[in-house]
Amino acid sequence: MKWKQWAHAEHGTTLIETYSYERQEGRLLSGLAEKLAPYVTLRPRPVDTIYNRVVELRQVDDFSKLLGTFLRKFKSGGYSLQDCEAKSDRMKLGKRAGAFLDVFAPVFEEYQKRLMGRIDFEDMILRAARYAETGRYVSPFRHILVDEFQDISQSRARLVKALKAQHPDVRVFAVGDDWQSIFRFAGSDIHLMRYFGSEFGGSFDGETGVHRAVDLGRTFRSVDQIAFAARTFVLRNPAQIEKLIVPAGIATEPAIRVVTVSKGEDAAKLSEVLATLSAAAAPNAKSATVLLLGRYRFVEPDVRDLGQRFPQLQISFKTIHASKGLEADHVILLNADSGRTGFPAEIVDDPLLSLVSPEEEAFPNAEERRVMYVAMTRARHTLTILASNVRPSSFVTELKQDPAYGVAAPLGLELENHVCGECAGRMLGVAGRNGRIYRCEHVQHCGNQLPACQWCGTALPRLIDGTAEARCGCGATYPACPACKDGWLVERSGSYGKFLGCVRYPTCVGKARIASGARSAVTQPRRRSSV
């Protein structure tokens, strides 16, 4: 900095200095403009030029969507610009929020003009509430019944309150399940149900907020294992209203399973699960219903093809949000993975939408946990969750690790968890060029890789402590490699004839001679015969 100051002074040139504290105080650009003013004439770019540049950067569509979403939420919540400005100050959203509201105000004004006296969907609720509040509409009703109360928004709550306030003897009867409140993005506010008494309660003997809650705990859908696991899962959030559950029946076999999926094996694993369900169906019984669920629509498989391949099953697909109210004998949850478009979803709404949204809950992934609860409770008899073996959903990890959920290992579908002998990571099964292989999860740092058993083609033989052999779950056994911790020996051919070499060759060069007179060093699994 001192050198620059000296160089400009030496040559008589102009030096404009800016400082980091100016940026921290939010006045860097304005201060720079003031410092430049004596030396240059500012020529602001025309609005059209700026707009064209924004179009080139492909930002117009996203901004238009943001404006549209904001407008819809703004109206449905009955907000005013003053409300948004006050909330912005409270949340310290800064100048971006102020600039956005400056753009939104004329857009909203123009939108209202173009309605030309007509009303949109949100106006129907807001106008009805205003008519009831001002007495333009006089309600003859003394009983107000509200269904799906967990999805009520502030504007709808305002209408209910206005109708209730017209007569002192009005009673509100609401039916809802806060465990299934999953439409915050559409304006529903779970706080209205959690604080029902203070919001809608009556007054009696000097007390306010008087109300009574009745549990409707009996489920006519799910067996005990699913019903109780789902209840335990959703109540991890202490803010959820606690309810007792009476299941529809008693499961005689494990009802919840998690199937791990390697990259590129999603379709194959789904087919395996469906084949298992199809084989378990009675020959002359009514077709079992199977509901495939996805957090997003893009995970939908070719349902028509699956229906043709498994005619004994009635297969359908829904997103979890669209599945509310539906049920099936068997539910398969697809792509229960972590990541931006995983489950729980990691897509974050623009912070500006918080100005026109209900207050967020303190518990992490509170609404996503309720979405998972909805998915679990669509099942009557079994729930199967397909999850990545490399990046499973945090929900899946929780279900598998906590015995309270009673999640079973899938028969014939879940392989044993193996430890890498090189770095102690997990050995994960993936589809290789010549069949299934197992490689270390730390593939960027550890090159350990093993083939699947040559007899069953799926499982991984493992060394047995205290012995000199590796054994596969299918029953096949192999001589252990004398040179490494993970490998076993298979028959190979060389320039001097046949010998036993490590399956990890060329990483490992462990070998042994074939014993004289021995037909094979490998013991095949015993096969059961049937008559």
Side-chain angles (χ1 to χ4, degrees):
M1 184 173 68
K2 289 183 178 179
W3 175 84
K4 287 183 179 181
Q5 291 170 341
W6 171 85
H8 282 280
E10 179 74 12
H11 297 282
T13 51
T14 302
L15 172 64
I16 303 295
E17 296 183 344
T18 59
Y19 301 92
S20 59
Y21 71 83
E22 294 176 314
R23 180 178 180 275
Q24 293 169 354
E25 294 175 358
R27 57 188 183 90
L28 176 63
L29 295 181
S30 59
L32 179 60
E34 292 175 3
K35 294 170 185 177
L36 287 172
Y39 306 102
V40 300
T41 301
L42 298 179
R43 293 191 299 273
R45 295 181 181 180
V47 173
D48 290 345
T49 302
I50 296 174
Y51 178 77
N52 291 337
R53 181 58 180 151
V54 173
V55 171
E56 290 175 12
L57 294 173
R58 298 182 179 179
Q59 298 297 309
V60 172
D61 286 347
D62 288 342
F63 186 69
S64 298
K65 291 176 183 176
L66 177 62
L67 276 173
T69 303
F70 193 93
L71 190 150
R72 186 178 68 252
K73 286 174 167 282
F74 181 84
K75 294 197 71 171
S76 67
Y79 293 94
S80 67
L81 287 171
Q82 291 73 24
D83 294 334
C84 295
E85 289 167 356
K87 194 171 183 180
S88 174
D89 291 340
R90 193 166 64 251
M91 297 178 68
K92 298 181 179 179
L93 293 183
K95 291 186 176 181
R96 180 171 180 262
F100 178 83
L101 292 175
D102 287 342
V103 174
F104 174 74
V107 170
F108 177 68
E109 183 179 349
E110 181 65 20
Y111 173 79
Q112 292 295 94
K113 283 181 182 178
R114 294 196 184 190
L115 285 176
M116 298 176 64
R118 297 168 295 180
I119 61 174
D120 59 17
F121 183 81
E122 303 304 338
D123 282 328
M124 288 191 282
I125 301 296
L126 294 172
R127 189 170 296 189
R130 188 164 62 251
Y131 286 173
E133 288 168 346
T134 59
R136 182 171 176 179
Y137 170 77
V138 178
S139 169
F141 305 110
R142 298 299 191 274
H143 297 276
I144 302 172
L145 278 63
V146 187
D147 196 14
E148 299 291 347
F149 193 76
Q150 75 278 352
D151 296 330
I152 195 170
S153 65
Q154 286 289 347
S155 58
R156 288 157 179 75
R158 177 181 165 187
L159 173 59
V160 173
K161 291 176 182 178
L163 294 172
K164 178 178 177 292
Q166 288 197 358
H167 306 287
D169 57 343
V170 170
R171 294 173 179 264
V172 178
F173 182 90
V175 180
D177 182 4
D178 70 307
W179 296 0
Q180 297 188 58
S181 178
I182 61 174
F183 289 105
R184 179 176 178 268
F185 67 88
S188 66
D189 190 345
I190 193 173
H191 301 91
L192 292 168
M193 182 167 186
R194 287 182 179 161
Y195 303 107
F196 181 86
S198 58
E199 295 283 349
F200 302 96
S203 301
F204 180 76
D205 196 22
E207 292 188 25
T208 59
V210 178
H211 70 290
R212 184 161 66 102
V214 178
D215 278 0
L216 301 178
R218 175 174 290 280
T219 171
F220 296 92
R221 178 183 301 145
S222 303
V223 293
D224 56 343
Q225 290 183 22
I226 295 174
F228 292 149
R231 177 184 186 274
T232 301
F233 183 82
V234 77
L235 285 180
R236 294 291 189 201
N237 180 357
Q240 301 291 166
I241 301 172
E242 189 163 346
K243 296 182 281 288
L244 296 175
I245 295 296
V246 181
I250 306 298
T252 56
E253 296 181 358
I256 305 177
R257 298 187 187 278
V258 174
V259 176
T260 56
V261 182
S262 302
K263 185 176 181 179
E265 291 188 340
D266 302 74
K269 284 294 184 182
L270 175 58
S271 294
E272 288 182 34
V273 174
L274 292 173
T276 302
L277 296 176
S278 181
N284 299 320
K286 184 181 177 182
S287 298
T289 55
V290 179
L291 178 59
L292 309 179
L293 290 179
R295 178 63 181 81
Y296 300 97
R297 180 160 293 283
F298 70 80
V299 306
E300 180 178 3
D302 189 339
V303 177
R304 184 175 181 181
D305 175 65
L306 293 174
Q308 292 173 344
R309 290 167 52 197
F310 302 100
Q312 285 188 292
L313 305 174
Q314 295 181 30
I315 305 172
S316 60
F317 173 86
K318 292 285 185 183
T319 62
I320 302 174
H321 283 84
S323 73
K324 278 191 65 176
L326 302 180
E327 58 186 62
D329 296 323
H330 309 284
V331 165
I332 302 174
L333 178 59
L334 309 175
N335 290 60
D337 308 332
S338 61
R340 186 171 182 272
T341 56
F343 189 22
E346 295 178 11
I347 298 176
V348 179
D349 286 337
D350 192 300
L352 294 172
L353 293 178
S354 62
L355 298 178
V356 286
S357 299
E359 296 295 332
E360 284 198 63
E361 300 168 77
F363 194 80
N365 291 314
E367 183 158 274
E368 289 291 295
R369 183 170 288 266
R370 294 193 291 271
V371 174
M372 183 67 172
Y373 170 82
V374 170
M376 296 173 72
T377 53
R378 299 311 94 195
R380 296 192 192 101
H381 305 303
T382 71
L383 168 67
T384 304
I385 304 172
L386 302 186
S388 167
N389 62 353
V390 178
R391 47 181 186 84
S393 160
S394 59
F395 290 163
V396 170
T397 302
E398 177 183 333
L399 290 172
K400 290 177 67 176
Q401 291 181 348
D402 193 334
Y405 295 117
V407 175
L411 300 175
L413 291 171
E414 186 67 89
L415 301 176
E416 186 180 353
N417 187 28
H418 299 299
V419 176
C420 173
E422 296 294 313
C423 72
R426 290 182 303 160
M427 297 295 287
L428 306 175
V430 297
R433 183 178 300 176
N434 299 313
R436 189 178 182 84
I437 62 171
Y438 285 77
R439 69 185 180 199
C440 181
E441 64 180 328
H442 307 300
V443 66
Q444 296 91 346
H445 311 288
C446 176
N448 194 11
Q449 181 173 297
L450 293 165
C453 170
Q454 69 183 58
W455 293 108
C456 67
T458 56
L460 181 65
R462 292 275 73 182
L463 303 185
I464 302 173
D465 292 339
T467 70
E469 68 177 22
R471 180 175 298 167
C472 177
C474 71
T477 59
Y478 304 82
C481 176
C484 69
K485 297 178 181 179
D486 275 355
W488 59 92
L489 302 179
V490 294
E491 191 174 284
R492 297 184 183 278
S493 296
S495 55
Y496 297 101
K498 293 184 177 181
F499 68 98
L500 297 179
C502 183
V503 293
R504 296 181 64 221
Y505 178 84
T507 302
C508 175
V509 294
K511 57 186 176 181
R513 294 179 179 178
I514 298 178
S516 178
R519 290 181 298 172
S520 175
V522 181
T523 303
Q524 301 181 25
R526 295 180 179 179
R527 305 296 184 190
R528 294 182 180 179
S529 59
S530 59
V531 178

